[in-house]
Amino acid sequence: RGGDLRLLVPAWNELEIAGAIDEAERSGLVLLEGGRLEFRHPLVRSLAYGEASSGERRRAHAALAAAGRAGTDAEREEATWHAALAATGPDRDTADALAELAARSPAAIAATAYERSARLTPDAGEAARRLLAAAGAAHEAGEFLASAQLASEAQGRLDEELARAEAE
C-alpha cells in the first residue's frame, strides 16, 4: 500500500531505490503528492510486491521497520509488523513487541500477532503459550479451524498440565 513519505524516503535511501521510485512516478505507476506515495491501482502494488524476491522483501520490511521505530504509536505498531516480516529466525525483541501488540488488539489481529510472535520466540515454552493465546484469539474471532490447529500445535509443545488441558 502507499505511505507517508516521511517514513518511506529514509527506507528508499537505505535501499538505494530512489531512482526506481522516480521512474515509477514518471511512468504513472505511483503518485507522490501531499506527502504520501499512493499506487495508481492495487494491482500495481500487488505486482511490485510479488515481483520482488523474498530477500528484497525482507530488506524492504527491515528498512521500513527501522524508519517507523521513532514515529507515532501507529507507526511503531506498523514497524513491529515490518520487523516480523523481515525476520528470518528467532527474534526475542520482535516476538515480545508482537505479543504486546496482540494483547491490546481485536481478536482477529491478536490471533495473527500471537501466532507470528510464537514463531519468532526463541524459548519453546513461551512460544507454546503464545500459540495457545493465538488459538484463543482465533476462537474469539470465529476462526474455529485455525483455533483448533493452533491449539493442537500448542498442546504438543506445552509442558504444564493445566496449559495442555486448556489447549485440549
Side-chain angles (χ1 to χ4, degrees), residues 56-121:
E56 289 169 330
R57 286 192 296 271
R58 279 192 305 278
R59 283 189 298 280
H61 285 297
L64 290 167
R69 284 192 183 109
T72 65
D73 288 346
E75 290 166 348
R76 285 193 305 276
E77 283 187 10
E78 189 167 338
T80 297
W81 286 108
H82 283 297
L85 290 167
T88 58
D91 180 335
R92 165 63 70 192
D93 292 338
T94 301
D96 290 348
L98 279 170
E100 290 172 19
L101 189 149
R104 60 181 188 275
S105 295
I109 294 169
T112 301
Y114 275 130
E115 180 180 5
R116 184 66 177 153
S117 174
R119 308 267 180 243
L120 296 175
T121 299

Side-chain angles (χ1 to χ4, degrees), residues 6-146:
R6 210 173 33 82
L7 299 173
L8 292 176
V9 170
W12 296 341
N13 291 338
E14 182 179 328
L15 296 167
E16 299 178 352
I17 62 167
I21 300 301
D22 289 342
E23 181 57 35
E25 182 184 24
R26 276 192 297 278
S27 66
L29 296 173
V30 298
L31 303 171
L32 299 174
E33 57 188 29
R36 294 192 54 78
L37 174 138
E38 298 296 338
F39 284 89
R40 177 65 78 182
H41 191 280
L43 291 175
V44 172
R45 180 190 66 225
S46 294
L47 180 64
Y49 192 82
E51 286 295 312
S53 70
S54 60
E56 289 169 330
R57 286 192 296 271
R58 279 192 305 278
R59 283 189 298 280
H61 285 297
L64 290 167
R69 284 192 183 109
T72 65
D73 288 346
E75 290 166 348
R76 285 193 305 276
E77 283 187 10
E78 189 167 338
T80 297
W81 286 108
H82 283 297
L85 290 167
T88 58
D91 180 335
R92 165 63 70 192
D93 292 338
T94 301
D96 290 348
L98 279 170
E100 290 172 19
L101 189 149
R104 60 181 188 275
S105 295
I109 294 169
T112 301
Y114 275 130
E115 180 180 5
R116 184 66 177 153
S117 174
R119 308 267 180 243
L120 296 175
T121 299
D123 178 72
E126 183 65 21
R129 287 185 290 281
R130 287 177 175 171
L131 279 173
L132 187 55
H139 188 270
E140 184 180 331
E143 298 292 336
F144 302 119
L145 179 59

